[in-house]
Amino acid sequence: MFRHAAFALLFAFGCVIHLSRGAVVNVRDKDGKLCLYANVMLNFSVSYATSGNKTDLAEFELPSQVMSNGSKCDNTTSTLKLNFGAGHSWSMNFTLNGRTYQADSITFSYNLNDSTIFPKSTLTDTLSVSVRPHITDVSTDTSYSCKSKETIQSDSVNQTLWNVLIQAFISNGTQSKNLTSCSADLPTTPTASPTTVAPVTNTTTASTPAPTTPAPTLPTPTTGKFAIKPDENSTACLLANFALRIGVKHGEKYQEINLDPNVTTVSGSCSVNTSELLLVSNAMTIALTFTNDTKKFHLQAVNVTANLSSGLVVSEANGSLSLWEAAVGSSYMCNKEQNVTITSQLNLFTFNLQVQPFAVKKGVFSTAEECFLDSDLSFLVPIAVGVALSFLIVLVLLSYLIGRRKSRTGYQSV
Ligand SMILES: *[C@@H]1O[C@H](CO)[C@@H](O)[C@H](O)[C@H]1NC(C)=O
Ligand SMILES: *[C@@H]1O[C@H](CO)[C@@H](O)[C@H](O)[C@H]1NC(C)=O
Ligand SMILES: *[C@@H]1O[C@H](CO)[C@@H](O)[C@H](O)[C@H]1NC(C)=O
Ligand SMILES: *[C@@H]1O[C@H](CO)[C@@H](O)[C@H](O)[C@H]1NC(C)=O
Ligand SMILES: *[C@@H]1O[C@H](CO)[C@@H](O)[C@H](O)[C@H]1NC(C)=O
Ligand SMILES: *[C@@H]1O[C@H](CO)[C@@H](O)[C@H](O)[C@H]1NC(C)=O
Ligand SMILES: *[C@@H]1O[C@H](CO)[C@@H](O)[C@H](O)[C@H]1NC(C)=O
Ligand SMILES: *[C@@H]1O[C@H](CO)[C@@H](O)[C@H](O)[C@H]1NC(C)=O
Ligand SMILES: *[C@@H]1O[C@H](CO)[C@@H](O)[C@H](O)[C@H]1NC(C)=O
Ligand SMILES: *[C@@H]1O[C@H](CO)[C@@H](O)[C@H](O)[C@H]1NC(C)=O
Ligand SMILES: *[C@@H]1O[C@H](CO)[C@@H](O)[C@H](O)[C@H]1NC(C)=O
């Protein structure tokens, strides 16, 4: 029984070695065999909100001291998870498809409550971002190697990886000496190197010209604060704060337009079952209709009329949506960039969103229900407690095991 527990924990926590440069992790399977090896160097650059409406940039390195709990190997999937500092983690998921494997996602979670990295942060939550790494078509029984720097950008986080050596599926317990190098490391001739695949660019277009790149990226739109009052002497019955951008497809063209709250006129209405917010600016008219279905409310309808730069006026509407749902009496909040598809021709992007279309008391927002993108904290709290407890158990077990290992000679620890 005790032996089983020890194996299970070893399996979950893997084995970690600290080197002066890079984080090195050896993950072992149920039978104690090496099944995943990783050596990575990684820099983070995170922008976060500080008091006084400012954003600061936190730049830090992945320390060489990491815990690999949460890492695991299976026949066709494996996970590398590096936990470091005060509640931060970085993980990568791999899948094996026949003769090759690939990394499907990188998830980086950072704890804004860590004031050594994020001084004066207004939020104390743990946020996470997921990005798609460019690690594909790595031959089985080879290690993926990339000495070159690669920066993966996402909303408010940039991750720079270099000196990466990872073997995600190790079949016979020993790391392979053969490498699959990333294309950035290869001398020249980018042809016939299936080792990395750019995220968007279609590399197979030899005859057809590459599709024209979408319009240059706009700055993040300004956050507007909109309120509807039933009459001029009352407090607000509908509150909405957000920054908004629309993406409109028209034929072959795609255009994004930011809502400028500075030149937007606000109108609307509140009633028991539906509330409406109508925003009219030079570039667009947008109507948001919210529905109260007894206990919850949601955004039911969106109607956007946009004046495209070409002079065309495009109107897109969808009346059967079910977005931004929260309990009546609370508000809905989503600080992260949210991309929602309204119609096949129209996408809505929101930032720093908080809305309350019903039951506003004293003209201020009630308790917020945060969107999935924001609310990682809620489920991390019990996990953090669990991890802390299991860490204690593991410390005890490890010292026991190390004691046992030391008493045996000839046992090689990796
Ligand atoms: C990583 O960050 C450290 C400290 O922030 C910096 O000294 C180093 O140059 C960075 N390395 C790369 C490759 O960006
Ligand atoms: C934050 O910015 C908004 C608009 O950008 C402004 O109205 C508000 O006064 C600012 N608050 C502080 C504390 O500076
Ligand atoms: C690794 O390289 C050696 C020598 O080039 C070769 O014999 C062997 O088949 C390779 N193994 C794999 C898995 O590619
Ligand atoms: C990420 O990199 C881009 C391009 O260099 C830069 O514009 C952006 O400010 C960076 N973001 C962060 C959070 O460092
Ligand atoms: C690349 O473009 C070709 C021709 O336009 C298309 O058939 C193919 O599906 C594209 N591949 C990817 C990965 O987008
Ligand atoms: C609002 O209050 C002002 C002065 O208190 C009053 O003159 C006006 O009639 C009121 N308006 C409404 C719509 O009640
Ligand atoms: C809003 O408009 C006023 C005057 O029209 C201008 O002074 C101000 O800078 C604008 N603010 C933003 C955020 O564009
Ligand atoms: C929401 O709808 C229910 C049922 O129609 C109603 O009882 C309740 O008062 C409404 N809530 C608000 C805030 O209008
Ligand atoms: C609101 O909806 C409820 C139930 O759907 C209905 O009974 C009620 O009459 C509606 N109220 C108004 C003002 O439309
Ligand atoms: C959307 O708004 C436009 C103009 O305000 C209007 O003509 C159109 O009928 C609306 N569409 C829907 C489905 O409500
Ligand atoms: C928004 O989402 C749609 C559908 O999921 C996707 O096609 C589009 O690329 C996304 N846009 C951005 C800017 O992320």
Side-chain angles (χ1 to χ4, degrees), residues 40-76:
V40 294
M41 298 192 78
L42 183 52
N43 272 9
F44 299 100
S45 162
V46 179
S47 74
Y48 65 102
T50 55
S51 49
N53 265 356
K54 295 215 189 69
T55 53
D56 263 1
L57 200 62
E59 290 176 296
F60 54 102
E61 294 172 77
L62 178 72
S64 54
Q65 305 204 332
V66 297
M67 292 290 298
S68 64
N69 37 322
S71 300
K72 58 182 194 298
C73 311
D74 243 319
N75 286 343
T76 55

Side-chain angles (χ1 to χ4, degrees), residues 124-413:
T124 53
D125 308 34
T126 298
L127 305 181
S128 65
V129 292
S130 286
V131 292
R132 219 185 149 78
H134 310 149
I135 302 177
T136 55
D137 293 317
V138 186
S139 309
T140 46
D141 296 323
T142 69
S143 295
Y144 171 80
S145 165
C146 200
K147 296 192 163 52
S148 308
K149 271 202 258 181
E150 190 204 358
T151 300
I152 307 176
Q153 294 181 23
S154 55
D155 188 34
S156 68
V157 176
N158 287 357
Q159 308 177 33
T160 304
L161 285 148
W162 75 104
N163 282 352
V164 174
L165 184 65
I166 295 176
Q167 187 175 357
F169 297 93
I170 300 177
S171 49
N172 54 4
T174 45
Q175 202 196 327
S176 171
K177 298 264 182 299
N178 295 6
L179 302 179
T180 297
S181 293
C182 63
S183 60
D185 280 1
L186 298 176
T188 34
T189 54
T191 44
S193 73
T195 44
T196 53
V197 171
V200 188
T201 2
N202 187 333
T203 49
T204 60
T205 47
S207 48
T208 46
T212 48
T213 46
T217 44
L218 296 172
T220 308
T222 313
T223 304
K225 297 187 174 179
F226 312 107
I228 304 297
K229 295 179 177 184
D231 59 68
E232 57 177 304
N233 293 340
S234 316
T235 59
C237 62
L238 179 154
L239 292 171
N241 291 358
F242 52 73
L244 184 138
R245 172 186 298 157
I246 58 172
V248 185
K249 244 183 263 159
H250 191 262
E252 296 286 283
K253 295 221 172 72
Y254 173 78
Q255 191 181 350
E256 294 191 342
I257 310 173
N258 283 349
L259 176 73
D260 183 358
N262 220 5
V263 295
T264 299
T265 56
V266 187
S267 58
S269 61
C270 307
S271 70
V272 180
N273 291 345
T274 60
S275 290
E276 195 186 41
L277 177 67
L278 182 65
L279 304 173
V280 181
S281 77
N282 302 334
M284 69 184 89
T285 297
I286 170 161
L288 303 176
T289 309
F290 298 89
T291 302
N292 160 13
D293 27 57
T294 324
K295 291 221 170 70
K296 297 204 156 196
F297 68 81
H298 64 266
L299 177 63
Q300 170 83 37
V302 171
N303 183 352
V304 171
T305 304
N307 307 325
L308 302 186
S309 54
S310 59
L312 269 171
V313 178
V314 178
S315 207
E316 288 291 328
N318 185 342
S320 52
L321 299 167
S322 176
L323 302 167
W324 304 356
E325 187 181 274
V328 172
S330 60
S331 60
Y332 173 83
M333 189 179 215
C334 201
N335 285 314
K336 291 279 191 69
E337 174 174 352
Q338 205 184 26
N339 169 5
V340 294
T341 302
I342 305 299
T343 68
S344 57
Q345 312 296 309
L346 175 71
N347 275 60
L348 213 62
F349 304 91
T350 55
F351 311 76
N352 305 322
L353 170 74
Q354 188 170 15
V355 290
Q356 186 167 355
F358 299 100
V360 175
K361 295 210 177 69
K362 296 184 183 145
V364 294
F365 282 113
S366 311
T367 332
E369 290 184 13
E370 278 203 79
C371 63
F372 176 72
L373 293 169
D374 283 359
S375 64
D376 297 325
L377 184 67
S378 46
F379 79 84
L380 279 172
V381 168
I383 291 175
V385 172
V387 165
L389 282 176
S390 30
F391 180 55
L392 274 179
I393 296 170
V394 160
L395 272 186
V396 173
L397 275 171
L398 277 183
S399 39
Y400 165 73
L401 286 169
I402 287 166
R404 259 177 47 150
R405 277 186 196 186
K406 278 204 174 139
S407 63
R408 291 187 192 179
T409 49
Y411 192 101
Q412 203 184 359
S413 75

